[in-house]
């Protein structure tokens, strides 16, 4: 391997390749394949293809100097906007379940998944170039102005859950870029009461902020038993499935007639509610194992970032860690009724080729950051 890297003029020490990060990613992906097979057997082959493509993308990206990639940050920014806007082009955009979120490129591709990775890379360079000025209002306003087009294009798909995820990721990137604790505290002091006020207004009749189905999801979250027959149906069944698994679960891919999964009481079990399938079949032990693997990946990314040789590398690692942590929290929160129902995948586990490949790409960039400090000559 070291000989090959020299031949390719890639001056890395192979011993610096973070196998300790790769292992939990691969193990979690294998669990994902198995759970997708249990939830929807006909999707397993495509999930295997997604993981294989993801591993290939991870390895290739890990060997390309991230500083060179960050030099292309403006082309990446505009590529992201072009892809998000392209879904509105007749013949290219794909409509499913009332949402326009996919591109038909001979295969279905969801641009908003790639947005998360491209925004991490873009702001890694944008914020590192302005590291000494990050707390100036001008720089903060510039950053907000740059993220708003992506948020708007994702929101109108409509895709509120991804909009919230990207917005939360953006806040994490600003903090990683050096935003002061005082500023963060001030924003939280304003944001938390604003969210409470927003929720109070959002549940009122004829409110102007949310679509009807979005308002109903919030109401169902606040009063799940009242909406048990419709909006809360999936989440209540998800909680029932997780609880029924008890300590060790009912067994992988079981044929138990009392199974919530086998009774088709949870829709999209291979994506949004795959954690419910894990809870039912693998029990509390399986749920803890999945959460522990996710935690290992997040901590692994952070540890690589702490040793990064520059701010850009630190932001990449922290950004990927934040993305995995935020999206995992939202997905598991929805499955356990902690959060209102949304449509976000569980990283490396849920079915979805675009999602799986993009998360592997993120890990690839983290691995490359880890390779940079100790190059050999």
């Amino acid at each position: 391997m070291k000989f090959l890297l020299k031949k390719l003029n890639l001056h890395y020490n192979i011993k610096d390749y973070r196998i300790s990060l790769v292992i939990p990613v691969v193990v979690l992906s294998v669990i994902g394949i198995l759970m997708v097979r249990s939830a929807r057997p006909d999707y397993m082959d495509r999930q295997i293809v997604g993981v294989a493509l993801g591993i290939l993308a991870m390895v290739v990206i890990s060997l390309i100097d991230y500083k060179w990639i960050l030099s292309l940050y403006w082309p990446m920014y505009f590529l992201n906007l072009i892809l998000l806007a392209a879904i509105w082009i007749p013949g290219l955009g794909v409509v499913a379940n009332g949402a326009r979120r996919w591109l038909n490129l001979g295969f279905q591709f969801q641009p908003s998944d790639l947005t998360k990775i491209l925004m991490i890379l873009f702001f890694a360079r944008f914020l590192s170039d302005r590291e000494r000025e990050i707390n100036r209002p001008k720089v903060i306003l510039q950053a907000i102005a740059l993220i708003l087009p992506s948020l708007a294009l994702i929101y109108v798909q409509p895709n509120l859950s991804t909009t919230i995820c990207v917005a939360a990721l953006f806040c994490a990137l600003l903090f990683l870029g050096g935003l002061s604790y005082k500023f963060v505290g001030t924003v939280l002091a304003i944001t938390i009461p604003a969210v409470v006020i927003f929720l109070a207004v959002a549940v009122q009749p004829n409110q102007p902020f949310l679509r009807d189905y979005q308002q109903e999801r919030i109401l169902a979250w606040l009063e799940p038993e009242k909406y048990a027959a419709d909006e809360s149906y999936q989440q209540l069944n998800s909680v029932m499935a997780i609880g029924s698994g008890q300590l060790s679960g009912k067994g992988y891919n079981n044929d138990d007639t009392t199974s919530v999964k086998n009774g088709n009481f949870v829709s999209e079990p291979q994506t949004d509610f795959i954690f419910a399938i894990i809870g039912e079949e693998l029990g509390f032990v399986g749920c803890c194992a999945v959460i522990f693997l996710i935690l290992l990946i997040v901590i692994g990314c952070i540890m690589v970032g702490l040793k990064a040789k520059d701010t850009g590398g630190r932001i990449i690692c922290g950004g990927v860690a934040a993305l995995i942590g935020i999206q995992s929290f939202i997905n598991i929160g929805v499955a356990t009724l902690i959060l209102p129902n949304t449509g976000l995948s569980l990283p490396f586990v849920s079915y979805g080729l675009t999602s799986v490949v993009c998360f592997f790409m993120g890990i690839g960039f983290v691995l490359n950051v880890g390779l940079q400090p100790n190059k050999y000559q």
Side-chain angles (χ1 to χ4, degrees):
M1 182 67 169
K2 187 173 181 179
F3 173 78
L4 178 61
L5 294 176
K6 284 185 175 180
K7 284 295 185 182
L8 294 173
N9 198 30
L10 300 173
H11 302 293
Y12 302 134
N13 281 307
I14 192 61
K15 66 179 182 180
D16 293 321
Y17 208 83
R18 305 301 175 107
I19 301 299
S20 60
L21 176 58
V22 175
I23 289 175
V25 169
V26 173
V27 171
L28 190 61
S29 299
V30 171
I31 292 174
I33 292 172
L34 294 174
M35 299 318 300
V36 168
R37 176 181 178 272
S38 179
R40 290 290 300 272
D42 51 321
Y43 284 6
M44 184 187 72
D45 290 344
R46 281 181 278 181
Q47 185 74 353
I48 292 174
V49 170
V51 171
L53 290 174
I55 291 174
L56 177 62
M58 177 184 71
V59 172
V60 171
I61 289 173
S62 70
L63 301 177
I64 302 174
D65 193 332
Y66 71 90
K67 293 188 73 174
W68 176 78
I69 294 177
L70 294 187
S71 69
L72 305 173
Y73 72 121
W74 281 113
M76 286 190 293
Y77 179 82
F78 289 110
L79 172 64
N80 169 58
L81 295 183
I82 290 170
L83 290 174
L84 289 175
I87 63 173
W88 299 99
I89 299 175
L92 280 181
V94 177
V95 179
N97 299 323
R100 185 182 290 268
R101 301 176 184 175
W102 296 269
L103 283 177
N104 184 5
L105 303 176
F107 57 92
Q108 285 200 10
F109 167 73
Q110 190 167 352
S112 59
D113 282 329
L114 186 59
T115 294
K116 301 164 189 173
I117 302 300
L118 293 179
M119 287 300 95
I120 290 173
L121 298 175
F122 174 79
F123 282 106
R125 175 60 186 271
F126 179 85
L127 295 174
S128 62
D129 285 350
R130 296 159 178 79
E131 185 175 7
R132 296 183 179 180
E133 305 171 340
I134 183 62
N135 290 296
R136 293 185 180 181
K138 177 183 177 181
V139 174
I140 295 172
L141 291 175
Q142 286 175 340
I144 293 173
L146 287 167
I147 195 63
L148 282 178
S150 294
L151 294 177
L153 287 169
I154 295 172
Y155 178 78
V156 298
Q157 292 178 357
N159 194 345
L160 180 60
S161 56
T162 301
T163 305
I164 293 172
C165 181
V166 174
L169 174 62
F170 171 70
C171 294
L173 293 173
L174 285 180
F175 178 74
L176 291 166
L179 201 63
S180 71
Y181 288 95
K182 290 182 179 180
F183 186 87
V184 173
T186 302
V187 171
L188 288 175
I190 297 172
T191 302
I192 293 174
V195 170
V196 173
I197 294 171
F198 173 79
L199 289 174
V201 174
V203 298
Q204 301 302 317
N206 302 317
Q207 53 78 33
F209 306 111
L210 301 173
R211 298 171 186 261
D212 290 342
Y213 80 91
Q214 293 170 340
Q215 183 187 41
E216 288 174 0
R217 286 184 176 182
I218 293 176
L219 290 169
W221 171 57
L222 295 173
E223 300 178 275
E225 300 300 334
K226 183 177 178 180
Y227 294 84
D230 38 57
E231 288 299 325
S232 291
Y233 182 78
Q234 303 297 338
Q235 285 182 284
L236 288 174
N237 285 335
S238 173
V239 171
M240 185 187 303
I242 295 171
S244 69
Q246 300 184 39
L247 180 62
S248 57
K250 296 177 179 178
Y252 171 69
N253 200 25
N254 67 80
D255 56 0
D256 192 329
T257 56
T258 63
S259 166
V260 176
K261 180 204 75 175
N262 295 339
N264 295 318
F265 293 116
V266 176
S267 65
E268 305 300 330
Q270 76 282 5
T271 52
D272 303 352
F273 288 97
I274 199 162
F275 193 76
I277 310 305
I278 295 170
E280 182 175 68
E281 298 193 348
L282 305 182
F284 179 76
V285 173
C287 290
C288 287
V290 168
I291 293 172
F292 179 69
L293 287 169
I294 292 171
L295 184 62
L296 279 182
I297 295 169
V298 171
I299 293 174
C301 292
I302 293 172
M303 295 304 294
V304 174
L306 291 175
K307 297 181 180 180
K309 65 179 183 179
D310 58 20
T311 302
R314 185 179 74 245
I315 294 176
I316 288 175
C317 295
V320 173
L323 172 60
I324 294 171
I326 290 168
Q327 190 152 326
S328 297
F329 174 76
I330 293 175
N331 178 277
I332 295 173
V334 168
T336 54
L337 203 54
I338 294 173
L339 298 173
N341 195 358
T342 63
L344 284 178
S345 62
L346 184 60
F348 302 107
V349 180
S350 294
Y351 170 77
L353 270 66
T354 310
S355 174
V356 170
V357 172
C358 287
F359 277 112
F360 270 105
M361 290 172 60
I363 296 297
F365 284 112
V366 173
L367 291 172
N368 184 258
V369 173
L371 285 172
Q372 295 302 322
N374 300 309
K375 286 185 177 181
Y376 60 82
Q377 302 301 322

